Amino acid sequence: MPPSNLPGTTDATSPRDTEQQPLLAARSVSVGAGATDGVSSHTLPAAGAGSATLAKQLPARYWVHAGVLNALIISFFAVHIAAGARLRGAFFALHPLGIAVFFLATANSVLLLQYTRGTAELPSARTFHSISQPIGLLGLLTAGSVVFRIRASEGRAHFDSPHTILGPIVTTLTLVTAAVAAAVTYKPLATWIAVAHRVRVLRAHRLFASLVFSLAFVNVSGFLLEKWEVSAFGAPLRAILFTL
């Protein structure tokens, strides 16, 4: 009788085991001959997996959700980039542009992870996540640096509104979230942490990152309360932009 048919045993895989499998598999590769050259242990793609394979395996509803999500983000920020360039100059337009990059990179990588959880494509999705998130973080840092430089040159206070106060808080929390994830993902620190502990940290990272992203969304809504926004858009248009 095969072992899987013995009484009291099962060949089903629990959700917890499914989540740990990519980490366990990558760990076994790293300790074998020819280590992984410092590549993230949980982002190692499965054999034969690649971006083309990942795209083919995604369901149609993913592309619908991604299309709607990107259309909303691009529409919202395109208006603000254009208005910022017209009213405050091209340099200021880099502020909403950087935030747009952050939202596009974060939203798309998180959406991809949600659609690939528990599948063979999860390692490839995590690779995309580990590449896109630094790009989004760079956009966020660029946005903050632009405003800081403009306000310093104009002699204005840096933190004089809810939006300008919450912005640095979101940026700091994003940096902390990214640093924690990198610490348990990349060598050498990742190799010193037990796989079970790394899974717990990544779960906490997922929850905390969701909260930070929600806070960033709230802060973006503060765009519409800035003085230049009030003068740039009438009340009806601002209401439409807020609903986006």
Side-chain angles (χ1 to χ4, degrees):
M1 179 181 297
S4 60
N5 295 329
L6 291 175
T9 63
T10 176
D11 57 355
T13 303
S14 67
R16 181 185 181 91
D17 293 336
T18 300
E19 187 168 0
Q20 290 192 13
Q21 282 176 355
L23 292 174
L24 292 169
R27 177 97 172 203
S28 64
V29 171
S30 64
V31 298
T36 56
D37 298 329
V39 180
S40 163
S41 57
H42 86 275
T43 58
L44 284 174
S51 58
T53 303
L54 176 62
K56 292 178 181 178
Q57 296 298 326
L58 291 171
R61 65 180 183 276
Y62 164 80
W63 299 106
V64 174
H65 290 172
V68 172
L69 180 65
N70 288 320
L72 290 175
I73 295 175
I74 292 173
S75 299
F76 180 86
F77 283 101
V79 174
H80 290 81
I81 293 171
R86 180 171 60 88
L87 296 177
R88 303 195 62 181
F91 184 64
F92 176 82
L94 293 175
H95 177 69
L97 177 60
I99 298 177
V101 170
F102 167 75
F103 270 87
L104 286 170
T106 302
N108 280 281
S109 63
V110 170
L111 182 66
L112 184 61
L113 286 174
Q114 292 302 315
Y115 271 92
T116 55
R117 287 188 65 186
T119 69
E121 287 73 38
L122 181 59
S124 295
R126 281 174 165 163
T127 299
F128 177 80
H129 182 74
S130 66
I131 294 173
S132 64
Q133 288 307 96
I135 296 175
L137 183 57
L138 180 61
L140 194 62
L141 292 172
T142 300
S145 300
V146 167
V147 171
F148 186 89
R149 178 68 181 85
I150 290 176
R151 286 178 172 257
S153 64
E154 295 175 351
R156 297 171 56 193
H158 291 287
F159 312 109
D160 59 357
S161 69
H163 178 68
T164 56
I165 293 174
L166 195 55
I169 294 176
V170 170
T171 302
T172 302
L173 293 178
T174 302
L175 283 169
V176 172
T177 304
V180 171
V184 298
T185 300
Y186 296 100
K187 295 180 179 180
L189 185 59
T191 58
W192 301 337
I193 303 175
V195 173
H197 294 321
R198 290 165 58 194
V199 171
R200 294 190 189 99
V201 172
L202 289 174
R203 284 175 178 169
H205 161 77
R206 185 165 62 238
L207 175 60
F208 188 72
S210 299
L211 296 176
V212 174
F213 186 75
S214 300
L215 192 61
F217 178 80
V218 171
N219 195 40
V220 163
S221 302
F223 269 154
L224 303 178
L225 302 178
E226 293 290 297
K227 293 180 180 179
W228 76 271
E229 290 273 2
V230 174
S231 62
F233 307 111
L237 181 56
R238 283 190 291 124
I240 294 175
L241 291 174
F242 188 83
T243 59
L244 289 177

